[in-house]
mmCIF file of all heavy atoms in Angstrom:
data_model
loop_
_atom_site.group_PDB
_atom_site.id
_atom_site.type_symbol
_atom_site.label_atom_id
_atom_site.label_comp_id
_atom_site.label_asym_id
_atom_site.label_seq_id
_atom_site.Cartn_x
_atom_site.Cartn_y
_atom_site.Cartn_z
ATOM 1 N N VAL A 155 176.577 35.069 -110.189
ATOM 2 C CA VAL A 155 177.970 35.504 -109.812
ATOM 3 C C VAL A 155 178.292 36.640 -110.551
ATOM 4 O O VAL A 155 178.168 36.599 -111.865
ATOM 5 C CB VAL A 155 178.905 34.327 -109.832
ATOM 6 C CG1 VAL A 155 180.268 34.828 -109.395
ATOM 7 C CG2 VAL A 155 178.520 33.208 -109.050
ATOM 8 N N ALA A 156 178.927 37.796 -110.077
ATOM 9 C CA ALA A 156 179.414 38.845 -110.782
ATOM 10 C C ALA A 156 180.797 39.233 -110.338
ATOM 11 O O ALA A 156 181.148 39.050 -109.187
ATOM 12 C CB ALA A 156 178.444 40.115 -110.593
ATOM 13 N N ASP A 157 181.532 39.894 -111.199
ATOM 14 C CA ASP A 157 182.884 40.465 -110.905
ATOM 15 C C ASP A 157 182.765 41.621 -110.033
ATOM 16 O O ASP A 157 181.896 42.490 -110.243
ATOM 17 C CB ASP A 157 183.575 40.745 -112.131
ATOM 18 C CG ASP A 157 185.084 41.017 -111.979
ATOM 19 O OD1 ASP A 157 185.389 42.121 -111.422
ATOM 20 O OD2 ASP A 157 185.878 40.167 -112.216
ATOM 21 N N GLY A 158 183.622 41.767 -108.977
ATOM 22 C CA GLY A 158 183.466 42.810 -108.097
ATOM 23 C C GLY A 158 183.826 44.206 -108.725
ATOM 24 O O GLY A 158 183.625 45.179 -108.034
ATOM 25 N N ASN A 159 184.500 44.248 -109.909
ATOM 26 C CA ASN A 159 184.877 45.455 -110.528
ATOM 27 C C ASN A 159 183.703 46.093 -111.272
ATOM 28 O O ASN A 159 183.812 47.129 -111.917
ATOM 29 C CB ASN A 159 186.063 45.265 -111.388
ATOM 30 C CG ASN A 159 187.323 44.969 -110.612
ATOM 31 O OD1 ASN A 159 187.613 45.585 -109.540
ATOM 32 N ND2 ASN A 159 188.106 43.921 -111.046
ATOM 33 N N LEU A 160 182.585 45.376 -111.392
ATOM 34 C CA LEU A 160 181.477 46.014 -112.070
ATOM 35 C C LEU A 160 180.828 47.005 -111.318
ATOM 36 O O LEU A 160 180.715 46.954 -110.089
ATOM 37 C CB LEU A 160 180.431 44.841 -112.395
ATOM 38 C CG LEU A 160 180.826 43.720 -113.411
ATOM 39 C CD1 LEU A 160 179.639 42.742 -113.501
ATOM 40 C CD2 LEU A 160 180.931 44.456 -114.806
ATOM 41 N N PRO A 161 180.403 48.110 -111.938
ATOM 42 C CA PRO A 161 179.659 49.203 -111.255
ATOM 43 C C PRO A 161 178.221 48.645 -110.807
ATOM 44 O O PRO A 161 177.742 47.726 -111.327
ATOM 45 C CB PRO A 161 179.521 50.303 -112.353
ATOM 46 C CG PRO A 161 179.659 49.566 -113.580
ATOM 47 C CD PRO A 161 180.483 48.404 -113.450
ATOM 48 N N LEU A 162 177.758 49.375 -109.747
ATOM 49 C CA LEU A 162 176.439 48.912 -109.199
ATOM 50 C C LEU A 162 175.364 49.006 -110.198
ATOM 51 O O LEU A 162 174.385 48.318 -110.141
ATOM 52 C CB LEU A 162 176.084 49.669 -108.051
ATOM 53 C CG LEU A 162 176.865 49.385 -106.733
ATOM 54 C CD1 LEU A 162 176.242 50.172 -105.529
ATOM 55 C CD2 LEU A 162 176.772 47.916 -106.441
ATOM 56 N N SER A 163 175.462 49.994 -111.175
ATOM 57 C CA SER A 163 174.416 50.004 -112.273
ATOM 58 C C SER A 163 174.289 48.630 -112.925
ATOM 59 O O SER A 163 173.226 48.289 -113.355
ATOM 60 C CB SER A 163 174.666 51.218 -113.132
ATOM 61 O OG SER A 163 176.021 51.019 -113.706
ATOM 62 N N ASP A 164 175.464 48.041 -113.301
ATOM 63 C CA ASP A 164 175.479 46.788 -113.964
ATOM 64 C C ASP A 164 175.023 45.679 -113.109
ATOM 65 O O ASP A 164 174.137 44.763 -113.668
ATOM 66 C CB ASP A 164 176.870 46.437 -114.534
ATOM 67 C CG ASP A 164 177.330 47.389 -115.639
ATOM 68 O OD1 ASP A 164 176.536 48.124 -116.130
ATOM 69 O OD2 ASP A 164 178.547 47.300 -116.028
ATOM 70 N N ILE A 165 175.279 45.771 -111.879
ATOM 71 C CA ILE A 165 174.843 44.788 -110.940
ATOM 72 C C ILE A 165 173.345 44.729 -110.797
ATOM 73 O O ILE A 165 172.682 43.799 -110.736
ATOM 74 C CB ILE A 165 175.494 44.907 -109.517
ATOM 75 C CG1 ILE A 165 177.030 44.630 -109.605
ATOM 76 C CG2 ILE A 165 174.927 43.995 -108.520
ATOM 77 C CD1 ILE A 165 177.504 43.251 -109.951
ATOM 78 N N LEU A 168 171.730 43.356 -113.825
ATOM 79 C CA LEU A 168 171.831 41.883 -113.764
ATOM 80 C C LEU A 168 170.793 41.249 -112.924
ATOM 81 O O LEU A 168 170.167 40.303 -113.272
ATOM 82 C CB LEU A 168 173.303 41.541 -113.490
ATOM 83 C CG LEU A 168 173.571 40.079 -113.465
ATOM 84 C CD1 LEU A 168 173.514 39.482 -114.857
ATOM 85 C CD2 LEU A 168 175.084 39.884 -112.969
ATOM 86 N N VAL A 179 179.519 38.038 -105.206
ATOM 87 C CA VAL A 179 180.542 38.940 -105.830
ATOM 88 C C VAL A 179 181.965 38.378 -105.597
ATOM 89 O O VAL A 179 182.273 38.097 -104.509
ATOM 90 C CB VAL A 179 180.327 40.357 -105.129
ATOM 91 C CG1 VAL A 179 181.365 41.228 -105.743
ATOM 92 C CG2 VAL A 179 178.961 40.842 -105.307
ATOM 93 N N LEU A 189 175.926 40.453 -102.380
ATOM 94 C CA LEU A 189 175.111 41.740 -102.537
ATOM 95 C C LEU A 189 173.589 41.382 -102.564
ATOM 96 O O LEU A 189 173.216 40.481 -103.301
ATOM 97 C CB LEU A 189 175.491 42.423 -103.847
ATOM 98 C CG LEU A 189 176.598 43.496 -103.741
ATOM 99 C CD1 LEU A 189 176.817 44.041 -105.072
ATOM 100 C CD2 LEU A 189 176.099 44.631 -102.885
ATOM 101 N N ASN A 204 177.914 56.348 -108.336
ATOM 102 C CA ASN A 204 177.987 54.921 -108.711
ATOM 103 C C ASN A 204 179.296 54.305 -108.270
ATOM 104 O O ASN A 204 180.367 55.007 -108.326
ATOM 105 C CB ASN A 204 177.832 54.824 -110.225
ATOM 106 C CG ASN A 204 177.597 53.411 -110.571
ATOM 107 O OD1 ASN A 204 177.259 52.560 -109.701
ATOM 108 N ND2 ASN A 204 177.672 53.069 -111.898
ATOM 109 N N THR A 205 179.292 53.141 -107.534
ATOM 110 C CA THR A 205 180.573 52.579 -106.984
ATOM 111 C C THR A 205 180.659 51.127 -107.567
ATOM 112 O O THR A 205 179.910 50.713 -108.440
ATOM 113 C CB THR A 205 180.438 52.527 -105.515
ATOM 114 O OG1 THR A 205 181.782 52.209 -104.987
ATOM 115 C CG2 THR A 205 179.386 51.643 -104.974
ATOM 116 N N LEU A 206 181.642 50.474 -107.209
ATOM 117 C CA LEU A 206 181.897 49.091 -107.599
ATOM 118 C C LEU A 206 181.197 48.074 -106.683
ATOM 119 O O LEU A 206 181.074 48.376 -105.515
ATOM 120 C CB LEU A 206 183.448 48.811 -107.633
ATOM 121 C CG LEU A 206 184.287 49.724 -108.547
ATOM 122 C CD1 LEU A 206 185.749 49.266 -108.505
ATOM 123 C CD2 LEU A 206 183.746 49.765 -110.020
ATOM 124 N N ALA A 207 180.978 47.019 -107.323
ATOM 125 C CA ALA A 207 180.171 45.901 -106.550
ATOM 126 C C ALA A 207 181.009 45.438 -105.332
ATOM 127 O O ALA A 207 180.482 45.290 -104.158
ATOM 128 C CB ALA A 207 179.904 44.762 -107.502
ATOM 129 N N ARG A 208 182.305 45.271 -105.425
ATOM 130 C CA ARG A 208 183.165 44.824 -104.284
ATOM 131 C C ARG A 208 183.199 45.733 -103.127
ATOM 132 O O ARG A 208 183.355 45.337 -101.920
ATOM 133 C CB ARG A 208 184.576 44.529 -104.786
ATOM 134 C CG ARG A 208 185.309 45.821 -105.257
ATOM 135 C CD ARG A 208 186.648 45.493 -105.862
ATOM 136 N NE ARG A 208 187.371 46.667 -106.205
ATOM 137 C CZ ARG A 208 188.567 46.653 -106.921
ATOM 138 N NH1 ARG A 208 188.925 45.526 -107.466
ATOM 139 N NH2 ARG A 208 189.085 47.797 -107.222
ATOM 140 N N ASP A 209 182.962 47.127 -103.415
ATOM 141 C CA ASP A 209 182.923 48.114 -102.349
ATOM 142 C C ASP A 209 181.694 48.000 -101.444
ATOM 143 O O ASP A 209 181.692 48.455 -100.268
ATOM 144 C CB ASP A 209 183.080 49.418 -102.835
ATOM 145 C CG ASP A 209 184.442 49.676 -103.558
ATOM 146 O OD1 ASP A 209 185.374 48.975 -103.240
ATOM 147 O OD2 ASP A 209 184.476 50.446 -104.510
#
Side-chain angles (χ1 to χ4, degrees):
V155 183
D157 192 286
N159 292 317
L160 287 176
L162 285 186
S163 55
D164 291 353
I165 295 294
L168 181 63
V179 179
L189 266 175
N204 195 13
T205 189
L206 301 181
R208 65 187 181 192
D209 297 328

